[in-house]
Amino acid sequence: MESLYLLIPLSLGLVAFSAWLLRWSVKSGQYDDVNGPGQAILMDDDTPDLKQAKENPDQLPD
């Protein structure tokens, strides 16, 4: 029973800190664009530059 006097305030403090951390992250824009970075990898331009290929044909990727 005596341990509850310690555990209840600790758990309330942890909940309050977690709520503050979530509020701060939302207000600072951490969750604005969650899909953009994942889609940016898929839309990466992996085609070689033709102008560079004409100038340096030895350095073309295999």
Side-chain angles (χ1 to χ4, degrees):
M1 184 69 176
E2 292 176 8
S3 63
L4 289 179
Y5 293 126
L6 177 66
L7 292 176
I8 290 175
L10 282 177
S11 65
L12 291 176
L14 182 64
V15 167
F17 176 72
S18 299
W20 174 82
L21 191 63
L22 177 66
R23 184 171 184 234
W24 170 81
S25 64
V26 169
K27 286 182 80 173
S28 68
Q30 298 291 321
Y31 297 110
D32 282 350
D33 186 18
V34 292
N35 293 329
Q39 292 174 356
I41 292 173
L42 296 176
M43 301 304 171
D44 190 20
D45 187 23
D46 290 336
T47 58
D49 187 17
L50 295 178
K51 184 178 179 182
Q52 182 184 9
K54 289 179 184 177
E55 292 173 2
N56 300 324
D58 320 349
Q59 297 178 358
L60 283 176
D62 294 329

